[in-house]
Amino acid sequence: MLPKVTILIPAYKDSFLKETLESLLKQTYDNYSIVIIDDASPYNLKQIVDDFLTDKIRYYRNEVNIGGTDLVKNWNKALTYADGDLVVLGSDDDLYHPEFIESLVALSEKYPQLDIFHCRVGVIDESGNPIFWGSSVAEYETDIDFVYQRAINRRTQLISDFMFRRRALEQIGGFVNYPKAWYSDEMTVYRLAKDKGIACSQETLFYWRSSTRNISSMNND
């Protein structure tokens, strides 16, 4: 049986959540679930979720807003809801290509010694129009090459274009928590690639939405 994937979505904003879920529910890979963690949002996120009428989505609501003061703490709370062999930390406004999960699971099967997988990234505006696509990426990179390409060539990457083996992520203590989450995403992926390397799809399968609302809580505005 192919591995199960859990897509974690810490959610606060309602502007693009429906589009994000629509893109995830069009996946060509079937063995996955989507976990929505409503971070005490003032918007009716549950109604957006309930409108989909699917058992692929699980919904939880934080009693108080966590991400507004400690973004990574909320990421790690989200991780406690994961039950898949592989985990993706998504967001409430980005989009995924229908073959995102299938392609990254295939890499996890091809490279069983690795704990982290990702894809090329496209950047879109608030209306979903393309701004630019990230550069091509080797299918396999050592940990040193991976860090080099990011640091020297400024390769476009976010936390949400990665897929992790859940057990490996848990073994390093979850997502690395730095003050204000500065470089927490970078250090998390580097720690999982350390000594082993990383595999990447050659296709652009994740679309990061560049907008004025790319934060966990509008309390930070």
Side-chain angles (χ1 to χ4, degrees), residues 79-93:
L79 183 59
T80 67
Y81 294 118
D83 60 357
D85 307 288
L86 297 157
V87 173
V88 174
L89 180 67
S91 74
D92 56 17
D93 50 11

Side-chain angles (χ1 to χ4, degrees), residues 85-88 104 107-109 111-118 140 162-172 188-199:
D85 307 288
L86 297 157
V87 173
V88 174
L104 269 60
L107 287 175
S108 77
E109 298 284 285
Y111 297 95
Q113 77 278 19
L114 303 183
D115 294 321
I116 181 170
F117 316 91
H118 70 135
Y140 170 79
F162 290 88
M163 182 178 285
F164 314 101
R165 293 197 194 274
R166 178 168 62 91
R167 295 301 184 192
L169 182 57
E170 291 172 343
Q171 286 170 2
I172 66 168
T188 299
V189 299
Y190 296 152
R191 287 189 65 183
L192 287 171
K194 187 175 183 296
D195 298 326
K196 295 182 179 181
I198 183 169

Side-chain angles (χ1 to χ4, degrees), residues 104-137:
L104 269 60
V105 168
L107 287 175
S108 77
E109 298 284 285
K110 183 175 180 179
Y111 297 95
Q113 77 278 19
L114 303 183
D115 294 321
I116 181 170
F117 316 91
H118 70 135
C119 66
R120 292 178 67 179
V121 174
V123 178
I124 58 177
D125 65 17
E126 292 193 9
S127 299
N129 300 311
I131 298 175
F132 71 87
W133 273 190
S135 60
S136 60
V137 183

Side-chain angles (χ1 to χ4, degrees), residues 32-208:
Y32 73 100
S33 63
I34 304 165
V35 178
I36 305 293
I37 303 89
D38 180 337
D39 196 15
S41 173
Y43 307 106
N44 193 353
L45 303 187
K46 189 174 188 302
Q47 184 60 61
I48 295 174
V49 172
D50 288 346
D51 285 345
F52 282 98
L53 300 174
T54 175
D55 58 5
K56 281 200 173 296
I57 302 179
R58 288 183 282 138
Y59 170 89
Y60 302 92
R61 179 177 169 87
N62 293 341
E63 293 183 3
V64 298
N65 179 265
I66 299 173
T69 56
D70 193 336
L71 184 63
V72 183
K73 181 179 180 181
N74 197 40
W75 292 357
N76 283 320
K77 181 174 183 179
L79 183 59
T80 67
Y81 294 118
D83 60 357
D85 307 288
L86 297 157
V87 173
V88 174
L89 180 67
S91 74
D92 56 17
D93 50 11
D94 300 323
L95 299 177
Y96 289 88
H97 187 280
E99 296 179 3
F100 173 83
I101 298 179
E102 181 179 3
S103 296
L104 269 60
V105 168
L107 287 175
S108 77
E109 298 284 285
K110 183 175 180 179
Y111 297 95
Q113 77 278 19
L114 303 183
D115 294 321
I116 181 170
F117 316 91
H118 70 135
C119 66
R120 292 178 67 179
V121 174
V123 178
I124 58 177
D125 65 17
E126 292 193 9
S127 299
N129 300 311
I131 298 175
F132 71 87
W133 273 190
S135 60
S136 60
V137 183
E139 182 174 282
Y140 170 79
E141 289 181 325
T142 66
D143 52 352
I144 300 300
D145 285 341
F146 176 53
V147 172
Y148 177 88
Q149 292 296 330
R150 174 61 170 161
I152 303 301
N153 293 331
R154 305 304 302 163
R155 185 163 64 201
T156 303
Q157 65 185 48
L158 294 307
I159 192 69
S160 299
D161 53 292
F162 290 88
M163 182 178 285
F164 314 101
R165 293 197 194 274
R166 178 168 62 91
R167 295 301 184 192
L169 182 57
E170 291 172 343
Q171 286 170 2
I172 66 168
F175 298 98
V176 178
N177 198 341
Y178 287 153
K180 298 184 179 180
W182 287 349
Y183 299 106
S184 291
D185 50 353
E186 303 280 354
M187 186 53 65
T188 299
V189 299
Y190 296 152
R191 287 189 65 183
L192 287 171
K194 187 175 183 296
D195 298 326
K196 295 182 179 181
I198 183 169
C200 181
S201 170
Q202 307 306 292
E203 302 299 324
T204 303
L205 303 174
F206 170 76
Y207 309 97
W208 180 74

